[in-house]
Amino acid sequence: MSSNPINIKLSQDPISIKIHIPNTPQLTAGKVFQFNPDNSRWFSIGLFNNHPNNSNMKLLLGMPDKLNKTYFFINGIVFHFQDSTPSSFQVIIEIFQGQKSIYQISPQDGGSGMIKDTDIFYTFEFQLIIS
């Protein structure tokens, strides 16, 4: 699995993830999957969405000592609103260690652009590495 390496520290602060679209009314939702370091097994971490009722929602990934060299895959969607004119959006994937944001990125594969009357899908892969 090719991925984006993200450095984490060995500490008692858990690792979590938040996926959102700031500054626009667009909604995003999807699923986060975890893979073992040798890609032998995967499972779902959970579902996410950025509905206003969930604006501060983060998914817990786990403790750093258990996540070293672990891979993650995000499969998400940006929902359209049948807009009469296209509007811009940018999905932000944010990794936290404890309450501190340690990494932010917009996925290259469908994570930003213009949306009008068709949903847009995006994916992102990353690996957590203790530095």
Side-chain angles (χ1 to χ4, degrees), residues 22-41:
N23 308 317
T24 68
Q26 259 46 64
L27 296 176
T28 183
K31 200 168 198 177
V32 178
F33 298 92
Q34 178 179 335
F35 293 78
N36 286 339
D38 64 0
N39 290 325
S40 63
R41 182 173 159 261

Side-chain angles (χ1 to χ4, degrees), residues 97-111:
Q97 184 153 14
Q99 297 301 313
K100 182 181 178 187
S101 175
I102 60 170
Y103 186 84
Q104 288 186 18
I105 194 166
S106 179
Q108 284 186 305
D109 180 18

